[in-house]
Each structure stands twice: as structure tokens, then as C-alpha cells.
Amino acid sequence: MDQRVKSSPEEIRRAREENPKMRERDLSAQLGISEAELVAAHCGFGTVRVEPRVSDLLTGLEAVGEVMALTRNESAVHEKIGVYDKVVTGNHNAMVLGENIDLRIFPKVWAHGFAVEKRDGGEIRRSLQFFDAAGEAVHKVHLKPASNLYAYQKLVASLESSNQEPTVAILPRSAEGEDDRQGAAASIGDLRDRWSRLTDVHQFFGMLKTLKLSRREAVRMVGQDYAWLLDNDAVIAMFHHAAAGEMPIMCFVGNRGCIQIHSGPIKSVKPMGPWLNVLDETFHLHLRTDHIREVWAVRKPTKDGHVTSLEAYDANGGMIIQFFGKRHEGEGEREDWRFLAENLPRIPNPTAA
């Protein structure tokens, strides 16, 4: 954030009125503020501050019925229509394991929350919006025509904060770059040994933490039997092949506070400028393909045989989006997905010896 004097809540609301069609993320960037500050400025003007009590939120959302869940990062927006069910709460990790809405949540990252009402012609659009300490969106819930409005209003009332000031205290963003080494001294041999002994994909993060490696550092180091670099257009090619073959895939988009997952086939793939869009009935994805700097195919051992992911990284080494073939615990990898991943166009690994 720059050092300019920030706009007052009144000035922010005026800017919103003057730019009614501009996306909140774009308007906040134009004003030099965070998106949370833009939303907070409307407290008392259609917006109510709510406490980001994730366990209460998730259990309360079960009664609201059909909604649209939205999770995004700088380069991808993941939207799923469904219900919040099969909720698992916890202070460090929470989950929603429903058929359509599938989330992995890190509650300690959730710092600010708001219930937002916006008039759109004769319609009122309602949403719950949650942000991290730096004011960046971690998760949003948008009501649909089939949503239970009474249950929603009851949930908002139960979460309503005693603080309804139109400002929020924003902390500076900590360093983003995954490429910043923290004194990492892991050897290729140690990495390959630990990698070869994985029995579950969920052990991967723990391995990286132990070795003090970022995910991209690890895939660059480990060797081409476990990870190989693909052409940046491989993601687009994968989407078209998966749609044409009605292949069920898993698509992960996340940020520090939430990871959202689609599991199933994709049908309507629509490129538009730099955006690659999936516009299916209960799944919408908007991906900035021009933000992709590297795409890796990554092979991880499990007790059910190895599984293969596609992982797209941005210029800072952060993961934009990740894909697997759809599978359940205890099942082997789909042969059609493995064949596709292994036959996408490769390029030489620039870090390989």
C-alpha cells in the first residue's frame, strides 16, 4: 500500500456511487485501499460488520440452503453453487465436505467480516464477505433465489459485531514470495528420499515444512521422474481435453484463508481475452492465463499408487491453481487423467543439470 492519505469513508462511498459497475477489487485498487476498507466504509449503508467466527458461520450456513461460494486469489476466481453441508469445525482447520461446496478453511486467517446488501435495479443482492488482516478477500457467500432468507438474517444477527465503525485497521501484507528461502539447506537427495516415501498427498505440505522448501523450489529440485515442466498453454489444453472427454477432474483454487475445490466434469470452456472461463451450471471458474509463469506436472506416491497433479504458478512462485483427476481415498488414479497429464507438451526444466 502506498503512503498517500487514504480516502475517508464518505469519499469511498462517493467513489462507489460514481463507479457502480466497477468490481470492488478494481475500485479498491484504484483508491489505494484494501477491499475490506471499501466494504467497511458502507457500514450503516447496507453493510453490517459481523464477527468472523468460522465455526458458527459454517454451522449457521447449513440452514440457509442453496448459495454461491466464492474463493479467489489474484489470478483465479472459483465459484460453486450448492449448500454448506457435512461441516467439520475446528480452531486451526475447518472443512465443508458437501457434494458441490467443498472447502478447506484456516480460521485464524479470517480477520474481518461483513454482511452486505446491494441494490441492483429492483433487486437486493445479499452476501457475506470475509477478509484477512491485510484486507484481502478470503471467502464470500452470495445468496441465490432459492436461499432461505430468514435463516440468513438469523445468522447475520447472531454474528453481528458491536463495532459498526465504517473503518478497519489493516495490517501490512507479509512477504508473498514463495521463492524467498528461509535458510533452506535441503539436499536433492534428502528431498528425493522423503518424496519417495510419501503415502498420502496430504503429507506433502509437512515434508516441505520440514525441509524449509517452497512448493515450487521442491518441484524444481526433485527431478523429472517426479516433476516436469510443461508449456504454459498446457492448462488450456487440459481444460479442452477434459471437457471433450467429459473427464471428471478436481480443481483447487485457494488463498491464505481458504481453499475451494470442484470435483466433477467440466463442460462449457470459454476463453475471453486473458481469461479462461468455465461456465457450467454449478461451477464457474475465471482464470487469468496471462498470470501463469510456470506449469508443472507433479507425481506423488501414495499407498494407492502415484497420483499426478497439474500446478500453475505465478511470477512470485505462488500457486494459482491445481488440478487432479477425480478420485476417492483408497482408489487408484484415473488412467485417462494420467495419460492426459503425461502427454501434455513439455519444455526443458531450466534448473535441471
Side-chain angles (χ1 to χ4, degrees):
M1 205 69 71
D2 61 32
Q3 299 303 310
R4 291 178 298 176
V5 176
K6 286 187 178 179
S7 302
S8 68
E10 295 81 7
E11 290 168 330
I12 294 169
R13 291 195 298 271
R14 192 179 312 122
R16 173 79 282 181
E17 289 171 8
E18 292 169 356
N19 299 276
K21 298 296 185 185
M22 188 179 288
R23 294 186 312 154
E24 279 80 359
R25 194 177 182 90
D26 295 336
L27 180 57
S28 59
Q30 181 176 296
L31 294 172
I33 60 175
S34 68
E35 190 179 346
E37 290 170 290
L38 175 65
V39 176
H42 292 79
C43 282
F45 296 85
T47 294
V48 174
R49 189 193 304 270
V50 296
E51 299 290 343
R53 300 197 307 268
V54 172
S55 294
D56 294 338
L57 169 74
L58 296 179
T59 52
L61 279 170
E62 291 182 273
V64 178
E66 184 180 86
V67 293
M68 189 266 276
L70 186 155
T71 301
R72 69 165 301 156
N73 54 43
E74 187 64 35
S75 307
V77 185
H78 192 297
E79 302 171 357
K80 289 287 289 186
I81 296 171
V83 297
Y84 283 70
D85 60 0
K86 300 181 182 173
V87 168
V88 180
T89 60
N91 292 330
H92 297 286
N93 299 284
M95 296 185 287
V96 179
L97 301 171
E99 182 181 352
N100 276 336
I101 296 181
D102 189 355
L103 306 171
R104 306 294 178 269
I105 292 169
F106 311 104
K108 293 194 172 181
V109 175
W110 295 39
H112 309 289
F114 304 92
V116 179
E117 289 191 359
K118 288 177 64 176
R119 289 201 169 273
D120 185 3
E123 218 180 326
I124 297 178
R125 298 186 182 276
R126 296 176 174 89
S127 61
L128 289 161
Q129 305 188 18
F130 297 91
F131 301 86
D132 66 15
E136 294 215 359
V138 291
H139 189 61
K140 298 182 181 181
V141 182
H142 292 266
L143 266 63
K144 302 291 289 180
S147 302
N148 183 327
L149 183 57
Y150 172 75
Y152 170 78
Q153 291 170 333
K154 185 178 176 184
L155 175 60
V156 171
S158 73
L159 294 174
E160 184 172 346
S161 173
S162 59
N163 172 17
Q164 293 297 324
E165 290 296 314
T167 58
V168 286
I170 296 299
L171 299 179
R173 163 68 67 215
S174 58
E176 284 278 359
E178 276 200 49
D179 280 346
D180 297 335
R181 289 180 179 269
Q182 302 298 321
S187 69
I188 293 175
D190 194 12
L191 172 63
R192 286 181 58 81
D193 176 60
R194 289 173 182 269
W195 193 305
S196 70
R197 290 189 281 113
L198 294 172
T199 59
D200 188 299
V201 292
H202 300 105
Q203 297 167 352
F204 193 72
F205 178 75
M207 179 192 77
L208 297 178
K209 195 170 180 183
T210 299
L211 295 175
K212 296 187 172 69
L213 289 172
S214 75
R215 183 182 289 266
R216 192 171 70 160
E217 284 173 335
V219 299
R220 284 180 161 191
M221 283 174 60
V222 72
Q224 295 198 39
D225 50 342
Y226 287 128
W228 55 94
L229 193 60
L230 298 175
D231 186 279
N232 280 3
D233 288 336
V235 171
I236 299 173
M238 182 278 292
F239 270 114
H240 288 298
H241 281 292
E246 299 182 354
M247 184 191 305
I249 65 171
M250 300 179 76
C251 171
F252 294 67
V253 168
N255 53 53
R256 293 164 184 253
C258 187
I259 298 168
Q260 186 162 304
I261 306 160
H262 164 76
S263 298
I266 54 173
K267 296 176 183 175
S268 178
V269 179
K270 306 282 189 186
M272 188 176 295
W275 292 95
L276 181 69
N277 305 291
V278 175
L279 302 173
D280 289 347
E281 186 177 354
T282 61
F283 175 47
H284 290 177
L285 176 73
H286 311 286
L287 172 65
R288 282 288 298 264
T289 56
D290 58 327
H291 286 188
I292 295 173
R293 291 295 175 268
E294 289 182 0
V295 180
W296 290 84
V298 181
R299 184 182 284 147
K300 302 183 187 80
T302 77
K303 64 182 186 303
D304 305 310
H306 73 257
V307 297
T308 315
S309 60
L310 254 59
E311 303 179 358
Y313 294 86
D314 63 21
N316 294 321
M319 188 189 288
I320 296 172
I321 194 165
Q322 182 183 41
F323 306 94
F324 291 86
K326 184 179 177 182
R327 60 183 284 272
H328 298 288
E329 200 73 29
E331 293 179 352
E333 181 165 67
R334 295 179 59 91
E335 289 297 331
D336 53 357
W337 169 259
R338 182 177 295 180
F339 180 84
L340 175 57
E342 291 180 350
N343 286 278
L344 290 167
R346 305 187 186 201
I347 58 175
N349 181 354
T351 63

